[in-house]
C-alpha cells in the first residue's frame, strides 16, 4: 500500500513539473500569461444558451476555467466554466491560427482561458462557440480533483473552498443563494423603513447574549477588550438616540464549540423598532420568512432533508410552559418554588446546577422534551424572567417576560423581546447576572454602566429581535451543516 502511494506521489510530482515546465516555456517565448492584466468579457455561459436565438451567428467573448479538453487533430473541443455554468467551445487550427492552435493543445485542464468566437450549434445539438481567438489568461500549476468523482472529502472541501467551488456546482449555487437571501432581507427591511447601521466589534463589555467571549488586548490603549457576542446593546443606544428602526447584519464571536449548527464566528442580524412589542416582531418575522422563501426558493413551501415545511400558513404559537405541558406532561404554572422545580428535574433525570432557579429548570425541560418536536414554524413565547435579563416582564405575570423564539426544523431561528426599557429594573437584572458569573456562569452578562445611562436618558417601548443568518441560509438551501453555508468555516490548524 505504501509502495503504491509512493508511486502515485511520484506520478503527481511529475505532472506538476510538466505544468511548471510549460509555464517556463511560455515565459521564455514572450507568452507569460501572468503578464495579461485584463480581458473584456461580453457574455457568461448561461447567457449564451438562454439567449441563443438572439446571439446565433454573433461574436461573443467568454472567460473561465477549462474543465475539459478533447484534441482531434486539426480541431478540438473544450468546456469553459464561469460564474454561471459552462459552455462548449469548438477550437480549430484554421480559425485561430497554427501557432495559437499549437499552444492550445498544450493547455491543461484548470487553466483559465479567454475565448472569442461566434455562437452556433454543433451537429449533436449543443449550443457552442466557434472560436476565432483563444488566450491563456492564467496557468494552473496544480491538478484539480478527478472530475467524475469530484471533490468529496469534507475536510478538504472546507479547507480548500476555492477547489470545492470549482468542482461542485451545487456548492457555488448555495453561496449565490446566500447572497440573494441577504439582499432580499435588506430589500424587505428597506420596504419597512429600517436603516442599516454598523456598531463596534471590539468592546469593553461583551453583552446582549449568554455566551463566553473571545478576549484580546488593544495595544494602543493598553486595554483588554473582547470581540462582541451580540449586536444588541449598541443598537438599543441608537433607539435611545431617536433612530426608530435600525438593523445590523454582522459577524459576532462566541468562544464555544463547533458542531453542525454552531461556528465560533457567525453572522447575526439584529433589528430594533421603536413603539412596538414582541407581537410586532412576530408579525415582522413571519412576513419576512415567507417573503424570503417566495423570493429565493420560489414558494412558501420549502423542503428540508425531504420534509416539507410550510412557511405560508400562520405560524403556531405556544407559551414555553404550554409546550412543556404538551410534550412532557408537566404544568410548570403549578410549580411554585425553585426546590419543587429541582425535585421535578431529579425525577425526570434532567441535569442542573445548584445555582439554577425554577426559570432555568423550565428552560432545561423545554430543551429536553420540546425542541425535537418543533418541525413546522412555531413561536415559543413567554419565557421565564430568570433566563431573559434584557426583556420586559409581562404585566399580567411578572415571573414571565414578553419574549419569543421561532423554531423551525427543531432549530431556534430567532430570539425576540419586548425590550426592557426600565433602567432600575435593568440594573437589578445586571446585578443578578453579575452574581451568576461569580457563582460560575461564564456566559452571564455583566453590568454595562453606559448602557444603563442610555436607558436613564429614556428608551421608548421597543421590539427587538436577533436572527442567525447562517441557520436561515441552511434552511433555505437544504444544507446539512453550518459549514456548508460558511465560505471559510473555522477549522483546526493542520499544524496541531
Amino acid at each position: 500500500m505504501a509502495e503504491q502511494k509512493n508511486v502515485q506521489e511520484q506520478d503527481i510530482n511529475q505532472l506538476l513539473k510538466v505544468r511548471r515546465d510549460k509555464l517556463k516555456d511560455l515565459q521564455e517565448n514572450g507568452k507569460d500569461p501572468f503578464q495579461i492584466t485584463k480581458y473584456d468579457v461580453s457574455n457568461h455561459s448561461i447567457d449564451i444558451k438562454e439567449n441563443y436565438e438572439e446571439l446565433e451567428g454573433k461574436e461573443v467573448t467568454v472567460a473561465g476555467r477549462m474543465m475539459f479538453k478533447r484534441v482531434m487533430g486539426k480541431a478540438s473541443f473544450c468546456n469553459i466554466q464561469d460564474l454561471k455554468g459552462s459552455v462548449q467551445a469548438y477550437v480549430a487550427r484554421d480559425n485561430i491560427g497554427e501557432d495559437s492552435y499549437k499552444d492550445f493543445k498544450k493547455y491543461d485542464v484548470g487553466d483559465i482561458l479567454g475565448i472569442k468566437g461566434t455562437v452556433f450549434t454543433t451537429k449533436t445539438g449543443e449550443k457552442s462557440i466557434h472560436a476565432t481567438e483563444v488566450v491563456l489568461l492564467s496557468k494552473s500549476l496544480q491538478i484539480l480533483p478527478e472530475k467524475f468523482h469530484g471533490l468529496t472529502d469534507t475536510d478538504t472541501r472546507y479547507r480548500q473552498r476555492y477547489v470545492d467551488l470549482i468542482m461542485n456546482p451545487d456548492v457555488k449555487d448555495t453561496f449565490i443563494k446566500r447572497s440573494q437571501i441577504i439582499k432580499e432581507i435588506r430589500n424587505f427591511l428597506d420596504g419597512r423603513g429600517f436603516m442599516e447601521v454598523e456598531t463596534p466589534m471590539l468592546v469593553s463589555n461583551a453583552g446582549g447574549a449568554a455566551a463566553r467571549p473571545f478576549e484580546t488586548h488593544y495595544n494602543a490603549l493598553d486595554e483588554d477588550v473582547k470581540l462582541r457576542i451580540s449586536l444588541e446593546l449598541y443598537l438599543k443606544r441608537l433607539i435611545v438616540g431617536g433612530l426608530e428602526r435600525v438593523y445590523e447584519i454582522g459577524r459576532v464571536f462566541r468562544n464555544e464549540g463547533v458542531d453542525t449548527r454552531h461556528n465560533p464566528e457567525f453572522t447575526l442580524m439584529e433589528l430594533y423598532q421603536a413603539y412596538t412589542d414582541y407581537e410586532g416582531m412576530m408579525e415582522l418575522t413571519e412576513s419576512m420568512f415567507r417573503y424570503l422563501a417566495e423570493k429565493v426558493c420560489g414558494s412558501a413551501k420549502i423542503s428540508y432533508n425531504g420534509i416539507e415545511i410550510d412557511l405560508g400558513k400562520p405560524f403556531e404559537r405556544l407559551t414555553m410552559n404550554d409546550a412543556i405541558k404538551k410534550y412532557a406532561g408537566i404544568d410548570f404554572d403549578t410549580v411554585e418554588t425553585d426546590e419543587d422545580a429541582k425535585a421535578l428535574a431529579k425525577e425526570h433525570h434532567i441535569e442542573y446546577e445548584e445555582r439554577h432557579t425554577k426559570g432555568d429548570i423550565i428552560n432545561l425541560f423545554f430543551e429536553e422534551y420540546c425542541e425535537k418536536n418543533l418541525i413546522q414554524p412555531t413561536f415559543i413565547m413567554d419565557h421565564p424572567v430568570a433566563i431573559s435579563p434584557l426583556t420586559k416582564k409581562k404585566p399580567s405575570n411578572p415571573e414571565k417576560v414578553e419574549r419569543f423564539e421561532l423554531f423551525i426544523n427543531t432549530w431556534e431561528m430567532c430570539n425576540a423581546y419586548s425590550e426592557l426599557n426600565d433602567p432600575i429594573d435593568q440594573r437589578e437584572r445586571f446585578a443578578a447576572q453579575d452574581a451568576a458569573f461569580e457563582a460560575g456562569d461564564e456566559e452571564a452578562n455583566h453590568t454595562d454602566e453606559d448602557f444603563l445611562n442610555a436607558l436613564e436618558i429614556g428608551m421608548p417601548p421597543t421590539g427587538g429581535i436577533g436572527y442567525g443568518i447562517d441557520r436561515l441560509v441552511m434552511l433555505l438551501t437544504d444544507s446539512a451543516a453550518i459549514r456548508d453555508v460558511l465560505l471559510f468555516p473555522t477549522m483546526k490548524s493542520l499544524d496541531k
Side-chain angles (χ1 to χ4, degrees):
M1 193 72 176
E3 186 178 335
Q4 184 181 0
K5 184 180 179 183
N6 288 336
V7 170
Q8 288 175 340
E9 287 178 354
Q10 289 172 7
D11 290 344
I12 290 170
N13 289 336
Q14 182 59 34
L15 290 170
L16 293 174
K17 182 178 182 304
V18 168
R19 291 196 177 209
R20 280 163 171 74
D21 289 345
K22 288 180 180 180
L23 174 63
K24 185 179 178 182
D25 185 60
L26 286 165
Q27 291 169 330
E28 288 174 350
N29 286 282
K31 298 176 181 180
D32 185 353
F34 300 123
Q35 294 297 316
I36 296 174
T37 58
K38 62 176 288 189
Y39 190 80
D40 293 326
V41 176
S42 67
N43 299 85
H44 280 96
S45 54
I46 297 301
D47 300 335
I48 292 168
K49 295 175 181 179
E50 290 181 348
N51 301 291
Y52 179 77
E53 291 182 5
E54 177 189 334
L55 292 173
E56 184 181 12
K58 294 182 179 177
E59 186 175 84
V60 296
T61 55
V62 298
R65 193 176 301 275
M66 182 166 66
M67 299 300 290
F68 168 81
K69 183 177 78 165
R70 185 168 81 247
V71 177
M72 304 178 301
K74 298 178 182 179
S76 302
F77 286 97
C78 68
N79 261 59
I80 298 298
Q81 178 175 293
D82 59 20
L83 173 68
K84 296 184 179 181
S86 65
V87 64
Q88 178 176 268
Y90 173 70
V91 183
R93 185 191 66 182
D94 294 345
N95 294 104
I96 69 169
E98 192 166 339
D99 288 344
S100 291
Y101 190 66
K102 188 184 297 182
D103 289 338
F104 171 78
K105 288 197 292 183
K106 295 178 182 177
Y107 297 160
D108 295 300
V109 168
D111 289 350
I112 296 175
L113 307 180
I115 294 182
K116 179 189 290 185
T118 54
V119 176
F120 80 113
T121 301
T122 65
K123 292 177 182 177
T124 59
E126 183 162 357
K127 296 175 177 64
S128 307
I129 300 170
H130 197 304
T132 55
E133 174 188 88
V134 178
V135 180
L136 179 63
L137 303 175
S138 182
K139 181 68 187 167
S140 175
L141 300 179
Q142 281 287 354
I143 300 166
L144 291 174
E146 200 271 303
K147 178 66 176 169
F148 180 75
H149 295 103
L151 179 62
T152 56
D153 177 70
T154 53
D155 190 73
T156 305
R157 285 182 54 226
Y158 298 143
R159 290 184 188 279
Q160 298 183 21
R161 182 68 85 186
Y162 42 92
V163 181
D164 191 24
L165 290 166
I166 293 166
M167 301 307 300
N168 295 317
D170 290 347
V171 171
K172 186 187 289 184
D173 291 344
T174 292
F175 288 105
I176 291 172
K177 191 172 277 190
R178 180 188 173 107
S179 178
Q180 291 173 339
I181 289 166
I182 293 173
K183 173 188 171 186
E184 292 299 345
I185 288 171
R186 289 190 166 107
N187 287 341
F188 177 85
L189 293 176
D190 182 63
R192 291 198 172 209
F194 280 83
M195 172 181 172
E196 186 172 10
V197 297
E198 294 175 310
T199 61
M201 288 190 183
L202 290 173
V203 295
S204 58
N205 188 344
R212 186 194 301 179
F214 288 93
E215 299 181 4
T216 187
H217 186 76
Y218 194 163
N219 290 336
L221 298 179
D222 192 23
E223 284 184 5
D224 290 334
V225 292
K226 301 175 178 67
L227 291 172
R228 67 186 180 186
I229 60 173
S230 170
L231 313 173
E232 180 166 350
L233 300 184
Y234 281 97
L235 291 176
K236 284 182 177 177
R237 287 169 167 89
L238 299 180
I239 294 291
V240 170
L243 303 181
E244 295 180 359
R245 299 187 181 203
V246 294
Y247 77 97
E248 181 174 6
I249 300 173
R251 282 293 177 110
V252 296
F253 310 87
R254 298 183 182 179
N255 202 345
E256 57 189 23
V258 175
D259 61 30
T260 56
R261 283 185 280 165
H262 295 88
N263 197 71
E265 55 175 310
F266 63 98
T267 303
L268 183 65
M269 180 178 82
E270 293 196 30
L271 63 85
Y272 293 85
Q273 179 178 339
Y275 311 113
T276 190
D277 61 2
Y278 77 144
E279 293 279 355
M281 293 294 99
M282 273 188 261
E283 182 280 321
L284 183 147
T285 298
E286 188 168 335
S287 298
M288 187 176 76
F289 273 59
R290 193 168 294 137
Y291 170 89
L292 292 174
E294 290 170 349
K295 283 286 186 180
V296 177
C297 305
S299 170
K301 289 183 179 179
I302 63 171
S303 176
Y304 187 87
N305 196 25
I307 298 171
E308 184 179 91
I309 295 171
D310 191 350
L311 298 170
K313 294 193 303 188
F315 294 3
E316 185 179 2
R317 298 186 180 196
L318 281 173
T319 69
M320 182 171 276
N321 282 6
D322 284 346
I324 295 170
K325 192 189 299 182
K326 180 177 180 178
Y327 294 111
I330 297 167
D331 185 0
F332 271 97
D333 286 328
T334 64
V335 176
E336 295 187 359
T337 67
D338 294 346
E339 287 69 31
D340 291 341
K342 288 177 179 177
L344 275 170
K346 284 180 182 175
E347 183 184 328
H348 290 80
H349 308 292
I350 302 286
E351 292 186 11
Y352 64 90
E353 298 177 30
E354 276 308 310
R355 63 181 175 81
H356 281 158
T357 64
K358 172 186 165 184
D360 297 304
I361 303 292
I362 288 172
N363 192 49
L364 292 171
F365 267 85
F366 174 77
E367 290 174 350
E368 178 67 25
Y369 286 99
C370 303
E371 289 186 4
K372 60 190 175 188
N373 293 294
L374 303 176
I375 307 295
Q376 296 302 319
T378 306
F379 289 120
I380 297 297
M381 309 156 51
D382 301 352
H383 297 51
V385 68
I387 61 168
S388 311
L390 299 164
T391 315
K392 188 171 282 192
K393 294 174 184 175
K394 288 182 72 68
S396 60
N397 186 347
E399 281 193 358
K400 298 178 183 177
V401 293
E402 293 192 348
R403 174 184 174 187
F404 73 82
E405 294 169 289
L406 172 63
F407 282 84
I408 303 175
N409 188 48
T410 77
W411 306 342
E412 176 204 329
M413 301 301 297
C414 65
N415 187 19
Y417 314 148
S418 295
E419 301 297 335
L420 178 60
N421 62 343
D422 178 345
I424 297 169
D425 189 355
Q426 182 64 80
R427 183 175 290 279
E428 292 171 356
R429 307 268 195 103
F430 274 145
Q433 288 288 297
D434 286 332
F437 181 80
E438 291 299 324
D441 183 358
E442 294 181 338
E443 296 185 345
N445 281 235
H446 297 277
T447 299
D448 187 325
E449 288 294 345
D450 183 72
F451 177 65
L452 288 169
N453 184 64
L455 289 188
E456 288 179 359
I457 296 291
M459 186 173 86
T462 298
I465 192 164
Y467 303 90
I469 295 298
D470 308 306
R471 209 170 283 182
L472 174 58
V473 175
M474 286 173 65
L475 183 72
L476 295 181
T477 60
D478 197 4
S479 297
I482 192 170
R483 289 180 172 189
D484 295 327
V485 299
L486 297 174
L487 280 167
F488 301 102
T490 301
M491 304 289 288
K492 187 174 183 178
S493 171
L494 289 172
D495 296 334
K496 296 294 185 183

